[in-house]
Amino acid sequence: MRQIMSIIVVLAAILLAATTVWPPGKWTVGQWTIGRWTIGRWTVGQTVQTTSGAVAGHAASVASDVSEYLGIPYAQPPVGSLRFQPPVRYNGTGGIDGRNFGAGCMTSNISAYDSDFPQELVDKYGITDIGLKVLSSITNPGIRTSEDCLTLNIWTKPQTGERRKAVMIYVHGGSFVLGSSAVPGYNGQFFADEEDIVLVTINYRLTFFGFPGNPLGAQNLGLLDQRLAVEWVRDNIASFGGDPSRITLFGESAGGALVDDYSYAWPEDPIVHGLVPMSGTTRGIGVRNRDIAAEFWFNASSAVGCGDSTAPAQQVYDCMMRAPAEAIISSLVNTINSPVGMPYSPTIDDKIVFGSDSNRSAAEVPMLIGNTDNEVGLFRVFVPQPDSDEFWHYQNQMTFNCPVAARSLASVRDGNPSWRYRWHGVFPNTVLATRPPSGAYHGSEIAVLFGNVDQSVIPNTREEDAIGQYMRGAFAAFAKDPVNGLLRYGSGWPLYAPDEKTLVRIGYGNQTGANLAIGTVYDEGC
């Protein structure tokens, strides 16, 4: 049972106007207005001056009216003396070639299946060709990795629509040990093209390099990276046609948990004006305590020959600063085989990550939060036993649905405009497994949301295209006006109230639009 719980928690994180005044906790629904500005005539791909240097862009590969800027450094490379240190802002005056994604951050294994999924489980669960593509994509195939990885990417279309566009920053998932902003499913060109927003994706340090557990240093480097990336966007996005007073932070799985962590880490100065945790919350995925974090630090230091917890801590630290990155990575435990659910993950430091008993308030900003209907449809294919529907339903509730329900209620009680959704879409080219049907599994909505579903085997259905367009429109409406946008979107999304028909079911019956259900209809056992 303990191993199964670890697998669930691990894989859960795989796939989460400049003059406008936002008075904390004081929301006036129906009276918020958006300003406009002009940044001058815009040429697709034009060079943009930033605090990192002059960034040259280009037309996006398919949406050719969208300007794409890739691999922009927002922090100094965290190498040498900056390894295991908080990120340091990057300032540059030279030119940046924005044609290629930066390297992904260093990764470590999820399981022994990372390179070859067992035929036994393929046969047992009826995993489809599409499903095998999904499972192989988890391990970042073909994406170069490096310690020098702190970059971000921007898609924008200032020549049309609002000249001061809402900004959406996406935080990828990956169990805190995998993922990259270069994953094709996260490409922002269609989002920016269709919804008149600026889309940003970021890299942040992962696994042991992002969450090292170093007793002598900062703990939550990956979360600090995320904060610095948000600061970079605040300071530079106006030059790309973005509105620094309308920034929404959204992410899925581990990325959703990091969005939630962010809301508690900087409640007095969140910078962002909307939060969207998707299939990941601090409560559901959890955090490590300092003792567990230090245990994994010393496990790695011992494995690479730098000493264990009986050696002087400074001596161990100095040695780990010099150890080759590849040697460190090869020493790390496979996440599924770990005795804890998330061996490399946010750690309670009482500075930016806090224990459940801290009673710390989150940032007072609007929230859109949700999860998929059958999150565990992804996880159960990784283990031969147990396979009862009752067992997996319990995992679905405890890791995802109940934590989302609790976080929704907390946001409402704090007086923030709050919406809750549930993803139900199932399409021929998203089916993972057939025995039992995988349904709307963990992460199945992401490529649909971004408009990047792999159609090399099976093309999109008309319903899939329409539902993806509807979901993009809803997220963009929230980003453009986090207080009122969803109230006015389509037939209107009601503010979340647990005992009323306010839970928005997206893709329910593969129909476009908002199908409403009682807010707590899926919350049994919570």
Side-chain angles (χ1 to χ4, degrees):
M1 173 69 75
R2 185 174 183 180
Q3 183 185 33
I4 299 301
M5 288 293 290
S6 294
I7 291 170
I8 292 298
V9 177
V10 166
L11 293 171
I14 288 176
L15 296 171
L16 263 191
T19 57
T20 301
V21 176
W22 291 75
K26 299 177 181 178
W27 307 105
T28 306
V29 175
Q31 298 181 9
W32 192 70
T33 58
I34 299 170
R36 299 175 68 90
W37 67 6
T38 300
I39 62 171
R41 181 178 293 278
W42 182 271
T43 302
V44 173
Q46 71 182 47
T47 296
V48 176
Q49 297 294 329
T50 73
T51 55
S52 296
V55 186
H58 56 275
S61 59
V62 178
S64 58
D65 288 337
V66 172
S67 297
E68 183 176 68
Y69 300 85
L70 306 178
I72 304 171
Y74 66 84
Q76 293 182 30
V79 299
S81 64
L82 295 182
R83 176 188 277 183
F84 304 135
Q85 300 299 316
V88 177
R89 185 182 305 275
Y90 181 90
N91 290 296
T93 57
I96 298 169
D97 182 354
R99 290 178 295 179
N100 299 298
F101 288 102
C105 293
M106 301 296 289
T107 64
S108 59
N109 284 355
I110 289 288
S111 74
Y113 308 155
D114 282 9
S115 60
D116 186 17
F117 202 79
Q119 188 63 41
E120 171 194 355
L121 297 184
V122 173
D123 296 337
K124 177 179 177 65
Y125 293 110
I127 297 174
T128 65
D129 290 343
I130 294 292
L132 287 173
K133 280 178 169 281
V134 170
L135 293 171
S136 68
S137 71
I138 288 173
T139 58
N140 295 16
I143 295 175
R144 179 174 63 90
T145 61
S146 169
E147 282 191 84
D148 180 2
C149 63
L150 298 183
T151 60
L152 54 78
N153 318 291
I154 299 171
W155 290 267
T156 186
K157 191 179 175 183
Q159 67 271 27
T160 63
E162 286 188 285
R163 301 303 187 193
R164 193 181 190 185
K165 301 181 191 297
V167 182
M168 301 183 69
I169 304 174
Y170 184 70
V171 184
H172 68 75
S175 293
F176 305 107
V177 302
L178 288 172
S180 164
S181 64
V183 170
Y186 311 147
N187 189 291
Q189 61 180 309
F190 302 118
F191 223 137
D193 189 37
E194 295 178 13
E195 301 303 335
D196 196 32
I197 54 97
V198 178
L199 198 288
V200 182
T201 61
I202 67 172
N203 282 347
Y204 58 94
R205 277 173 286 181
L206 303 167
T207 192
F208 193 83
F209 293 93
F211 306 95
N214 172 18
L216 298 183
Q219 297 297 310
N220 298 292
L221 306 179
L223 184 55
L224 291 170
D225 293 343
Q226 179 181 325
R227 172 67 176 191
L228 189 58
V230 170
E231 292 177 0
W232 190 98
V233 171
R234 175 199 61 197
D235 296 341
N236 291 279
I237 207 64
S239 298
F240 295 87
D243 184 349
S245 74
R246 286 190 294 161
I247 299 173
T248 290
L249 189 65
F250 73 126
E252 187 266 346
S253 194
L258 285 171
V259 169
D260 198 13
D261 291 334
Y262 183 100
S263 73
Y264 288 98
W266 293 281
E268 303 302 327
D269 180 27
I271 299 175
V272 302
H273 309 91
L275 297 164
V276 187
M278 307 168 66
S279 295
T281 61
T282 298
R283 181 177 302 196
I285 292 179
V287 295
R288 303 183 297 178
N289 63 41
R290 291 289 291 261
D291 290 341
I292 291 175
E295 178 182 344
F296 281 94
W297 166 267
F298 286 116
N299 286 346
S301 67
S302 177
V304 299
C306 287
D308 59 19
S309 59
T310 64
Q314 187 65 51
Q315 176 182 308
V316 171
Y317 172 74
D318 292 342
C319 180
M320 291 296 283
M321 289 289 285
R322 299 188 300 269
E326 293 76 13
I328 294 175
I329 289 296
S330 66
S331 75
L332 301 181
V333 64
N334 286 356
T335 306
I336 280 181
N337 296 331
S338 167
V340 300
M342 289 287 176
Y344 313 108
S345 60
T347 301
I348 296 170
D349 61 3
D350 294 320
K351 295 179 180 178
I352 60 173
V353 175
F354 302 84
S356 59
D357 59 351
S358 68
N359 295 318
R360 186 173 175 83
S361 297
E364 294 181 340
V365 297
M367 174 173 281
L368 169 62
I369 185 171
N371 58 291
T372 72
D373 186 54
N374 188 40
E375 302 275 6
V376 297
L378 170 65
F379 314 139
R380 69 187 300 172
V381 304
F382 279 80
V383 292
Q385 296 294 338
D387 58 2
S388 72
D389 290 342
E390 292 78 12
F391 173 87
W392 290 106
H393 175 73
Y394 174 81
Q395 305 304 329
N396 205 53
Q397 293 300 96
M398 294 304 102
T399 307
F400 297 100
N401 201 67
C402 293
V404 165
R407 188 65 179 91
S408 302
L409 285 176
S411 184
V412 170
R413 289 168 183 159
D414 287 344
N416 302 321
S418 306
W419 290 266
R420 183 180 174 190
Y421 74 87
R422 190 176 181 93
W423 169 257
H424 289 262
V426 179
F427 310 103
N429 60 8
T430 66
V431 172
L432 175 69
T434 59
R435 295 191 296 271
S438 51
Y441 56 88
H442 186 72
S444 62
E445 82 281 28
I446 299 304
V448 179
L449 171 64
F450 278 84
N452 295 319
V453 176
D454 184 343
Q455 301 184 61
S456 61
V457 178
I458 301 174
N460 284 2
T461 64
R462 284 184 295 179
E463 293 82 4
E464 184 176 10
D465 284 334
I467 291 168
Q469 204 166 39
Y470 176 83
M471 194 176 187
R472 279 192 295 282
F475 277 49
F478 177 80
K480 292 174 183 178
D481 183 349
V483 178
N484 296 299
L486 284 173
L487 296 174
R488 300 166 178 164
Y489 183 67
S491 57
W493 284 31
L495 291 164
Y496 181 66
D499 299 323
E500 301 175 19
K501 291 186 72 172
T502 57
L503 175 66
V504 177
R505 298 188 290 193
I506 303 174
Y508 189 77
N510 280 0
Q511 298 297 308
T512 306
N515 180 288
L516 299 180
I518 296 296
T520 57
V521 67
Y522 298 104
D523 294 351
E524 66 272 18
C526 296

Coordinates of all heavy atoms in Angstrom, one line a residue, residues 51-88:
T51 N 15.8 43.6 -19.9 CA 16.9 43.7 -19.0 C 17.9 42.5 -19.2 O 19.0 42.6 -18.6 CB 16.3 43.5 -17.5 OG1 15.6 42.3 -17.4 CG2 15.5 44.7 -17.2
S52 N 17.6 41.5 -20.0 CA 18.5 40.5 -20.3 C 19.3 40.7 -21.5 O 20.3 40.0 -21.8 CB 17.8 39.1 -20.4 OG 17.2 38.7 -19.2
G53 N 18.9 41.8 -22.3 CA 19.6 42.1 -23.5 C 18.5 42.2 -24.6 O 17.3 42.2 -24.4
A54 N 19.0 42.4 -25.9 CA 18.1 42.6 -27.0 C 17.8 41.2 -27.5 O 18.6 40.4 -28.0 CB 18.8 43.4 -28.1
V55 N 16.5 40.8 -27.5 CA 16.0 39.5 -27.9 C 15.5 39.5 -29.3 O 14.5 40.2 -29.6 CB 15.0 39.0 -26.9 CG1 14.6 37.5 -27.2 CG2 15.4 39.1 -25.5
A56 N 16.1 38.8 -30.2 CA 15.6 38.7 -31.6 C 14.5 37.6 -31.6 O 14.7 36.5 -31.1 CB 16.7 38.3 -32.5
G57 N 13.4 37.9 -32.3 CA 12.3 36.9 -32.4 C 12.1 36.4 -33.8 O 13.0 36.6 -34.7
H58 N 11.1 35.7 -34.0 CA 10.7 35.1 -35.3 C 9.3 34.8 -35.3 O 8.6 34.8 -34.3 CB 11.6 33.9 -35.6 CG 11.4 32.8 -34.6 ND1 12.2 32.8 -33.4 CD2 10.6 31.8 -34.5 CE1 11.8 31.8 -32.7 NE2 10.9 31.1 -33.3
A59 N 8.7 34.5 -36.5 CA 7.3 34.1 -36.6 C 7.2 32.7 -36.1 O 8.1 31.8 -36.3 CB 6.9 34.1 -38.0
A60 N 6.1 32.4 -35.3 CA 5.9 31.0 -34.8 C 5.7 30.1 -36.0 O 5.3 30.5 -37.1 CB 4.6 31.0 -33.9
S61 N 5.9 28.8 -35.8 CA 6.0 27.8 -36.9 C 4.7 27.6 -37.6 O 4.7 27.4 -38.8 CB 6.4 26.5 -36.3 OG 5.5 26.0 -35.3
V62 N 3.6 27.8 -37.0 CA 2.3 27.6 -37.6 C 1.5 28.9 -37.6 O 1.0 29.3 -38.6 CB 1.5 26.4 -37.0 CG1 0.1 26.3 -37.7 CG2 2.2 25.1 -37.1
A63 N 1.3 29.4 -36.4 CA 0.6 30.7 -36.3 C 1.6 31.8 -36.6 O 2.2 32.5 -35.8 CB 0.0 30.9 -34.9
S64 N 1.7 32.1 -37.9 CA 2.8 32.9 -38.4 C 2.6 34.4 -38.1 O 3.6 35.2 -38.2 CB 3.0 32.8 -39.9 OG 1.8 33.1 -40.6
D65 N 1.5 34.8 -37.6 CA 1.3 36.2 -37.1 C 1.8 36.4 -35.7 O 1.8 37.5 -35.1 CB -0.2 36.6 -37.2 CG -0.6 36.8 -38.7 OD1 0.3 37.1 -39.5 OD2 -1.8 36.8 -39.0
V66 N 2.1 35.3 -35.0 CA 2.6 35.4 -33.6 C 4.1 35.5 -33.6 O 4.8 34.7 -34.3 CB 2.1 34.1 -32.9 CG1 2.8 34.0 -31.5 CG2 0.6 34.1 -32.8
S67 N 4.6 36.4 -32.8 CA 6.0 36.5 -32.6 C 6.5 35.6 -31.5 O 5.9 35.6 -30.4 CB 6.4 37.9 -32.2 OG 6.1 38.8 -33.3
E68 N 7.5 34.8 -31.7 CA 8.0 33.8 -30.8 C 9.4 34.2 -30.3 O 10.3 34.4 -31.2 CB 8.0 32.4 -31.5 CG 8.4 31.3 -30.6 CD 8.3 29.9 -31.3 OE1 9.1 29.7 -32.3 OE2 7.4 29.1 -31.0
Y69 N 9.6 34.2 -29.0 CA 10.9 34.5 -28.4 C 11.3 33.4 -27.5 O 10.6 33.2 -26.5 CB 10.9 35.8 -27.7 CG 10.5 37.0 -28.6 CD1 9.2 37.3 -28.8 CD2 11.5 37.8 -29.2 CE1 8.8 38.4 -29.6 CE2 11.1 38.8 -30.0 CZ 9.8 39.1 -30.2 OH 9.5 40.2 -31.0
L70 N 12.3 32.6 -27.8 CA 12.7 31.4 -27.1 C 14.0 31.5 -26.4 O 14.9 32.2 -26.8 CB 12.7 30.2 -28.0 CG 11.5 29.9 -28.9 CD1 11.7 28.7 -29.8 CD2 10.3 29.7 -28.0
G71 N 14.1 30.8 -25.2 CA 15.4 30.7 -24.6 C 16.0 32.0 -24.0 O 17.2 32.2 -24.0
I72 N 15.1 32.8 -23.4 CA 15.6 34.1 -22.8 C 16.1 33.9 -21.4 O 15.3 33.4 -20.6 CB 14.4 35.2 -22.8 CG1 13.8 35.4 -24.2 CG2 14.9 36.5 -22.2 CD1 12.6 36.2 -24.2
P73 N 17.3 34.2 -21.1 CA 17.8 33.9 -19.7 C 17.2 35.0 -18.8 O 17.2 36.2 -19.0 CB 19.3 34.1 -19.8 CG 19.5 35.0 -21.0 CD 18.4 34.7 -22.0
Y74 N 16.6 34.5 -17.7 CA 16.1 35.4 -16.6 C 17.0 35.4 -15.4 O 16.8 36.3 -14.5 CB 14.6 35.1 -16.3 CG 14.4 33.8 -15.6 CD1 14.5 33.6 -14.2 CD2 14.0 32.7 -16.3 CE1 14.3 32.4 -13.6 CE2 13.8 31.4 -15.7 CZ 13.9 31.3 -14.3 OH 13.7 30.1 -13.7
A75 N 17.8 34.4 -15.3 CA 18.7 34.3 -14.1 C 20.1 33.9 -14.6 O 20.3 33.3 -15.7 CB 18.2 33.3 -13.1
Q76 N 21.1 34.2 -13.8 CA 22.5 33.8 -14.2 C 22.5 32.3 -14.1 O 21.8 31.6 -13.3 CB 23.5 34.4 -13.2 CG 23.6 35.9 -13.3 CD 24.7 36.4 -12.4 OE1 25.7 35.8 -12.1 NE2 24.5 37.7 -12.0
P77 N 23.3 31.6 -15.0 CA 23.4 30.2 -14.9 C 23.8 29.7 -13.5 O 24.8 30.2 -12.9 CB 24.6 29.9 -15.9 CG 24.6 31.0 -16.9 CD 24.2 32.2 -16.0
P78 N 23.0 28.8 -12.9 CA 23.2 28.4 -11.5 C 24.3 27.3 -11.5 O 24.1 26.1 -11.1 CB 21.9 27.8 -11.1 CG 21.3 27.3 -12.4 CD 21.8 28.2 -13.5
V79 N 25.5 27.6 -11.9 CA 26.6 26.7 -12.0 C 27.8 27.3 -11.2 O 27.8 28.4 -10.8 CB 27.0 26.5 -13.4 CG1 25.9 25.9 -14.2 CG2 27.5 27.7 -14.1
G80 N 28.8 26.5 -11.0 CA 30.0 26.9 -10.2 C 29.6 27.3 -8.8 O 28.9 26.5 -8.1
S81 N 29.9 28.5 -8.4 CA 29.6 29.0 -7.0 C 28.1 29.2 -6.8 O 27.7 29.4 -5.7 CB 30.4 30.3 -6.7 OG 30.0 31.3 -7.6
L82 N 27.3 29.2 -7.9 CA 25.9 29.5 -7.8 C 25.1 28.2 -7.7 O 23.8 28.2 -7.6 CB 25.4 30.3 -9.0 CG 25.9 31.7 -9.0 CD1 25.3 32.5 -10.2 CD2 25.6 32.5 -7.7
R83 N 25.7 27.0 -7.8 CA 25.0 25.7 -7.6 C 24.5 25.7 -6.2 O 25.1 26.1 -5.3 CB 26.0 24.6 -7.9 CG 25.3 23.2 -7.6 CD 26.3 22.1 -7.7 NE 26.6 21.6 -9.0 CZ 27.4 20.6 -9.3 NH1 28.0 19.9 -8.4 NH2 27.5 20.2 -10.6
F84 N 23.3 25.2 -6.1 CA 22.6 25.0 -4.8 C 22.3 26.4 -4.1 O 22.2 26.4 -2.9 CB 23.3 24.1 -3.9 CG 23.6 22.7 -4.4 CD1 24.8 22.1 -4.3 CD2 22.6 22.0 -5.1 CE1 25.1 20.9 -4.8 CE2 22.8 20.7 -5.6 CZ 24.1 20.2 -5.4
Q85 N 22.3 27.5 -4.9 CA 22.1 28.8 -4.3 C 20.8 29.4 -4.9 O 20.4 29.0 -6.0 CB 23.3 29.7 -4.7 CG 24.6 29.3 -4.1 CD 24.6 29.2 -2.6 OE1 24.1 30.0 -1.9 NE2 25.2 28.1 -2.1
P86 N 20.2 30.3 -4.2 CA 19.0 31.0 -4.8 C 19.4 31.7 -6.1 O 20.6 32.0 -6.3 CB 18.7 32.1 -3.8 CG 19.2 31.5 -2.5 CD 20.5 30.8 -2.9
P87 N 18.5 31.8 -7.1 CA 18.8 32.4 -8.4 C 19.2 33.8 -8.3 O 18.8 34.6 -7.4 CB 17.5 32.2 -9.1 CG 16.4 32.3 -8.1 CD 17.0 31.6 -6.9
V88 N 20.1 34.2 -9.2 CA 20.6 35.6 -9.2 C 20.1 36.2 -10.5 O 20.3 35.6 -11.6 CB 22.2 35.6 -9.1 CG1 22.6 37.1 -9.3 CG2 22.6 35.0 -7.8

